[in-house]
Amino acid sequence: MKRMASIGECMIELSGATADAGPGPAGEGQMRRGFGGDTLNVAVYARRALPADAGAVAYVTSLGEDPFSADMLAAWGDEGIDVGLVDRMPGRLPGLYVIVTDAGGERSFLYWRSASAARETFRADNAERLSAALRDYDLVYFSGITLAILDGDGRARLLDVLREVRGRGGLVAFDGNYRPRLWHGPDEARFAVSAILPYVSIALPTFEDEAALYGDADAHATADRLHALGVGEIAVKQGPRPVLLSGPDGREEVAVPPVARIVDTTAAGDSFNGAYLAARLTGLPPREAAVRGNATAGRVIGLRGAIIPREG
């Protein structure tokens, strides 16, 4: 059985708040509570895409010992995700974000994550435990958000884990997922990403993010840059435009099927990544992996929420 681990942060999500331009408090009324995080979304969709007897998916993060953290663990367990590598930190809490919707239906996000437990996932004592556990995994996934929430020492310890995974024959997958507000500036983000790219086997970037950080002119420029830094397999997502696949056998585009009604694009890229990696983990070629990724993303954006109800 193949084993995949996804490393990152999941936060408490509050939605239903409204921004009112008139007098009185904004966002009055009840809000819905959920959970959200890019790497958690990838883990969920990878687990759903994998046949039960073909692979296992673990999520790697740090949480507190509070009721919200307990609810997260229960929800992940219900999805069939292995939570054995989730660290519990007394006195710490998960991060929090609120989705605010204005009168025109546009959404914005407010975050409280600067002291979240996930930022300590690769502290010295826990990194040793994770290194021992992850070194024999078949595939380890993380994102630019994972890098952004770690301090310099944490990034260095994560890099040690990636080096060991690759050294033992495992795959490392990465999505840059550039979010400017999480970095002190683009130079810091570029420096952190450049340090890990030589250990990345599969890159799953979104062109819009890469253009914002690197100024890439098109998806081919993104692929060229990543190959030059050592990445062998690349799938550049471009929203409704075709996915560009680039690897040792050349380049090709995989069309994105039209979606009749787009409701919520929040986890489009994450769901693509999860389905793509599940397919690659079971030996399917990149083109078939991209076809499955597009199909999954198409279902997800047709419903509200990052994690849609399971089929069947």
Side-chain angles (χ1 to χ4, degrees), residues 3-4 14 21 30 39 63 73 83 88 127 130-131 138 146 163 166 184 187-188 204 207 234 293 295 300-301 303:
R3 294 191 299 167
M4 169 181 165
L14 297 179
Q30 294 184 339
T39 51
L63 295 174
L73 287 171
V83 297
R88 306 293 296 277
L130 292 179
S131 179
D138 299 285
T146 310
R163 186 183 294 115
R166 287 299 306 272
H184 292 112
D187 287 344
E188 182 194 26
L204 301 168
F207 172 69
I234 300 163
V300 169
I301 66 177
L303 296 171

Side-chain angles (χ1 to χ4, degrees), residues 174-179 203-214 216 219 222 225-226 234-239 268-270 272-273:
F174 175 70
D175 182 345
N177 221 352
Y178 176 54
R179 299 295 180 267
L204 301 168
T206 295
F207 172 69
E208 183 179 11
D209 294 341
E210 302 298 301
L213 183 56
Y214 294 99
D216 294 344
T222 296
R225 178 173 47 77
L226 292 171
I234 300 163
V236 186
K237 305 181 294 289
Q238 303 185 85
D270 302 335
F272 175 95
N273 291 354

Side-chain angles (χ1 to χ4, degrees), residues 84-220:
L85 296 180
V86 175
D87 175 46
R88 306 293 296 277
M89 300 182 67
R92 299 297 293 272
L93 295 169
L96 166 73
Y97 69 97
V98 177
I99 302 174
V100 181
T101 306
D102 66 19
E106 291 296 319
R107 301 192 309 164
S108 60
F109 298 81
L110 304 174
Y111 291 89
W112 293 262
R113 72 194 310 176
S114 61
S116 73
R119 290 180 175 268
E120 303 297 324
T121 300
F122 281 88
R123 67 186 187 280
D125 58 334
N126 198 47
E128 185 175 345
R129 179 180 75 100
L130 292 179
S131 179
L134 292 172
R135 65 182 60 165
D136 294 322
Y137 269 67
D138 299 285
L139 190 151
V140 172
Y141 173 83
F142 68 109
S143 76
I145 294 176
T146 310
L147 285 179
I149 67 170
L150 299 175
D151 63 16
D153 289 339
R155 291 172 197 159
R157 294 182 187 116
L158 171 59
L159 182 60
D160 288 340
V161 170
L162 304 180
R163 186 183 294 115
E164 190 149 8
V165 169
R166 287 299 306 272
R168 289 172 174 260
L171 300 173
V172 172
F174 175 70
D175 182 345
N177 221 352
Y178 176 54
R179 299 295 180 267
R181 62 177 169 266
L182 295 180
W183 299 94
H184 292 112
D187 287 344
E188 182 194 26
R190 286 190 287 263
F191 180 83
V193 172
S194 66
I196 59 91
L197 283 175
Y199 302 97
V200 172
S201 322
I202 302 172
L204 301 168
T206 295
F207 172 69
E208 183 179 11
D209 294 341
E210 302 298 301
L213 183 56
Y214 294 99
D216 294 344
D218 55 30
H220 289 275

Side-chain angles (χ1 to χ4, degrees), residues 242-261:
V243 174
L244 176 67
L245 297 179
S246 185
D249 297 328
R251 293 183 181 177
E252 63 176 316
E253 292 185 337
V254 180
V256 175
V259 176
R261 180 170 177 262

